[in-house]
Amino acid sequence: MPLNLAVLISGSGSNLQCIIDRVASGALHADIRLVVSNRPEAFGLERARKAGIPTVVLPHGNYLDREDFDRALIAAIRDHGADAVAMAGFMRMVTPMFLQTFPGRVLNIHPALLPSFPGTHGQRDAAEYGVRIAGCSVHFVDEGMDSGPIIIQAAVPAFPTDNGETLGARILTMEHRIYPQALQWLSEGRLSAQGRKVFVAPAARSKAFIGEPGEYMVFPPLEEGF
Ligand code: GAR
């Protein structure tokens, strides 16, 4: 059974694109049932339309409060038959009500090595801080800001000459590797969390690890196809 997935976006949607591409390559067993944006101008909506995926636009300004917005979001997700959610550059917090509707099935990608640099400018904050190793994290979403249990992280080098854009571009290449992998683990039912610790169960049939790509470090290791 593929993962019946809703992807939530607010902008460019390059992570959405990599999810679409991994589904097309057969590595990610998911059916992207819909793409939801809270911004009508999000380029990711174009990517979805091009891939033949239904889109829903919910301009957040049209709703009274977060719960009101999340009720509409839940209805759209359910109406399209999705029961798992990938937040992919979705610049909004979701309510406890939303999380209770899809328990253990809401993932987010963040452009920093959490718990460092949560929030909306992780790449810029890391560059300005002067870190020498930056990266990205995929985590289960909880009620806090980028604070849920971490599933996979990838590290990239950071240079003193970096700014948010140059560092962000380097981080983004690894976001595109680790997010589809984490979603495939979810699809295969291999993820479990005990408190803050996330366990990835071994694959049913053996899968080769592809190891560290170049100078980057990814842990747990990526498997074939990602
Ligand atoms: C990505 O870098 C993602 O990690 C980040 O927004 C960008 C969206 O790019 N998300 C956050 O900062 C969430 N706190 P995309 O629209 O091209 O996927």
Side-chain angles (χ1 to χ4, degrees):
M1 274 278 283
L3 193 65
N4 289 320
L5 190 64
V7 182
L8 312 186
I9 63 165
S10 299
S12 157
S14 71
N15 277 287
L16 164 66
Q17 188 66 55
C18 78
I19 294 168
I20 292 170
D21 294 345
R22 291 303 192 206
V23 171
S25 79
L28 173 55
H29 304 150
D31 185 0
I32 307 171
R33 306 299 292 246
L34 79 161
V35 169
V36 184
S37 175
N38 63 317
R39 296 186 193 279
E41 71 280 11
F43 180 66
L45 291 167
E46 283 301 311
R47 299 180 191 267
R49 288 183 197 117
K50 206 171 159 198
I53 300 165
T55 58
V56 173
V57 178
L58 302 175
H60 53 269
N62 291 0
Y63 298 87
L64 292 174
D65 54 24
R66 286 186 187 281
E67 293 236 326
D68 196 29
F69 177 85
D70 279 5
R71 266 191 290 276
L73 187 55
I74 291 167
I77 293 169
R78 282 191 169 147
D79 286 350
H80 288 79
D83 63 1
V85 179
M87 294 170 52
F90 185 62
M91 295 305 193
R92 284 185 65 84
M93 304 255 306
V94 288
T95 58
M97 175 188 69
F98 183 87
L99 295 172
Q100 283 153 21
T101 308
F102 307 105
R105 296 178 74 75
V106 184
L107 269 54
N108 181 45
I109 179 114
H110 183 72
L113 291 174
L114 292 170
S116 291
F117 311 115
T120 46
H121 303 289
Q123 318 90 321
R124 191 192 66 192
D125 295 346
E128 285 178 0
Y129 193 91
V131 299
R132 296 309 313 254
I133 298 177
C136 46
S137 313
V138 178
H139 62 93
F140 285 111
V141 176
D142 70 5
E143 289 159 23
M145 166 80 85
D146 302 318
S147 57
I150 294 166
I151 297 166
I152 184 171
Q153 296 184 304
V156 305
F159 301 98
T161 47
D162 271 325
N163 56 35
E165 280 188 11
T166 58
L167 182 58
R170 200 172 306 121
I171 292 170
L172 197 60
T173 62
M174 293 313 293
E175 295 187 35
H176 297 164
R177 308 287 299 276
I178 67 173
Y179 208 6
Q181 170 73 86
L183 290 166
Q184 177 59 14
W185 286 333
L186 182 70
S187 175
E188 293 176 35
R190 289 167 60 191
L191 295 177
S192 58
Q194 287 175 24
R196 290 214 52 86
K197 307 289 183 80
V198 176
F199 295 82
V200 182
R205 65 179 174 79
S206 79
K207 287 190 185 184
F209 294 126
I210 62 171
E212 294 99 347
E215 72 269 40
Y216 302 135
M217 186 183 123
V218 181
F219 202 78
L222 297 165
E223 294 172 346
E224 257 176 324
F226 291 92

